[in-house]
Amino acid sequence: MGLFKKILLTVGVGGAEVNTEILQSTVRIGEDIEGVVNILGGSAEQNIDRVEVELKTEYIKEVDDVKQKHRATLVKLVVGRDIAISPNERKQIPFTFRVPEHTPISMNRKTVWVETELEIPLAIDPEDRDYIEIRPSNTMEVVLDAVLNVLGFRLREVECKAGYIGRSEGGFLQEFEFVPQSAFRGVLDELEITFLPSSEGVNLFMQIDRRARGFKSFMQEAAGLDEKHIILTISDYDASQGSRYVAEILENTINNYC
């Protein structure tokens, strides 16, 4: 091999390529993602030190009133080491991993992807990115249905922000911001919910923002005292009773703070 060709391989030209196939385009939190890493050898033999598959997302962190996008790794899996691949040779590496509970749900847009990287000495590491739709767990789905379709709230915004609550993981939180349309209209300005993992089902970190009524309420709103923060557990058993049952739990809880 001439010097020029060696240099081209060093910077990644003519080197190995990677393409990952995800066997399902949609997966629920707590379920498994299955896939296959396809590697195609380049124009010369190469040694791949490591093949990594990662589940990633992004979140917003505000620094000096400026919103910045940051990436978070939810799962990191090494699926191969010390692999020699000949010119034009094809290799396949299957993998499976579970979607963790703190993975953001895909609402309105996909923000979670599977990223594959080949670590090759003295070369630009080939990468592949595949976006995937993350659906809520069954219990989370019942809660969302109760809020949207039984209590009649409207989903105004979903955003992943930097932060922690209790033992939350990843360095970020996904906030769901709801506006009352029927129940609690005129009583609440908004309701924010963040899902937190629980061995019983799911914990809801709820911010209940009451609407100002009268001078006292106006002063409380001005001082930020109109917001109540609570944690409510919705068990898998509660969810199994249906959306109306869960909506009644939510309605009674919110009424206690209005």
Side-chain angles (χ1 to χ4, degrees), residues 133-148:
E133 182 178 352
I134 304 296
R135 295 185 62 190
S137 67
N138 290 324
T139 297
M140 294 165 69
E141 189 168 63
V142 171
V143 172
L144 289 171
D145 186 55
V147 174
L148 294 169

Side-chain angles (χ1 to χ4, degrees), residues 80-149:
R81 295 181 183 273
D82 299 325
I83 300 172
I85 187 162
S86 303
N88 300 316
E89 181 184 3
R90 296 179 182 271
K91 288 184 180 290
Q92 290 189 320
I93 306 174
F95 65 86
T96 301
F97 62 81
R98 183 148 296 178
V99 178
E101 293 177 315
H102 63 288
T103 303
I105 300 169
S106 300
M107 300 288 285
N108 304 325
R109 64 190 184 98
K110 295 180 181 179
T111 59
V112 177
W113 66 90
V114 176
E115 189 168 296
T116 308
E117 181 176 334
L118 307 185
E119 187 176 299
I120 301 174
L122 301 177
I124 297 175
D125 297 334
E127 294 181 352
D128 182 46
R129 179 184 292 191
D130 298 275
Y131 282 88
I132 191 165
E133 182 178 352
I134 304 296
R135 295 185 62 190
S137 67
N138 290 324
T139 297
M140 294 165 69
E141 189 168 63
V142 171
V143 172
L144 289 171
D145 186 55
V147 174
L148 294 169
N149 298 320

Side-chain angles (χ1 to χ4, degrees), residues 70-88:
H70 290 256
R71 293 181 182 176
T73 298
L74 305 166
V75 175
K76 186 172 184 177
L77 191 66
V78 177
V79 298
R81 295 181 183 273
D82 299 325
I83 300 172
I85 187 162
S86 303
N88 300 316

Side-chain angles (χ1 to χ4, degrees), residues 9-194:
L9 279 176
T10 298
V11 297
V13 179
E17 299 177 2
V18 60
N19 177 51
T20 297
E21 296 178 53
I22 306 299
L23 302 186
Q24 64 270 73
S25 60
T26 302
V27 63
R28 286 188 185 273
I29 287 178
E31 293 181 344
D32 288 342
I33 290 179
E34 298 178 84
V36 178
V37 179
N38 297 296
I39 305 172
L40 174 62
S43 56
E45 183 174 343
Q46 287 182 291
N47 188 71
I48 302 170
D49 284 354
R50 185 166 54 195
V51 181
E52 288 185 351
V53 175
E54 298 180 338
L55 188 66
K56 291 189 173 184
T57 190
E58 62 183 18
Y59 62 91
I60 299 298
K61 184 175 183 179
E62 193 165 320
V63 180
D64 297 328
D65 296 325
V66 177
K67 292 185 176 181
Q68 302 174 350
K69 286 187 176 181
H70 290 256
R71 293 181 182 176
T73 298
L74 305 166
V75 175
K76 186 172 184 177
L77 191 66
V78 177
V79 298
R81 295 181 183 273
D82 299 325
I83 300 172
I85 187 162
S86 303
N88 300 316
E89 181 184 3
R90 296 179 182 271
K91 288 184 180 290
Q92 290 189 320
I93 306 174
F95 65 86
T96 301
F97 62 81
R98 183 148 296 178
V99 178
E101 293 177 315
H102 63 288
T103 303
I105 300 169
S106 300
M107 300 288 285
N108 304 325
R109 64 190 184 98
K110 295 180 181 179
T111 59
V112 177
W113 66 90
V114 176
E115 189 168 296
T116 308
E117 181 176 334
L118 307 185
E119 187 176 299
I120 301 174
L122 301 177
I124 297 175
D125 297 334
E127 294 181 352
D128 182 46
R129 179 184 292 191
D130 298 275
Y131 282 88
I132 191 165
E133 182 178 352
I134 304 296
R135 295 185 62 190
S137 67
N138 290 324
T139 297
M140 294 165 69
E141 189 168 63
V142 171
V143 172
L144 289 171
D145 186 55
V147 174
L148 294 169
N149 298 320
V150 181
L151 296 179
F153 282 83
R154 175 177 60 85
L155 181 63
R156 178 160 62 188
E157 186 179 15
V158 182
E159 190 173 26
C160 285
K161 300 178 180 179
Y164 289 92
I165 298 175
R167 296 182 179 181
S168 60
E169 300 179 49
F172 66 88
L173 301 165
Q174 186 178 36
E175 295 181 352
F176 295 77
E177 187 177 298
F178 301 95
V179 179
Q181 298 293 293
S182 50
F184 299 107
R185 189 172 185 177
V187 178
L188 298 183
D189 281 332
E190 64 181 24
L191 172 68
E192 290 186 7
I193 295 178
T194 297

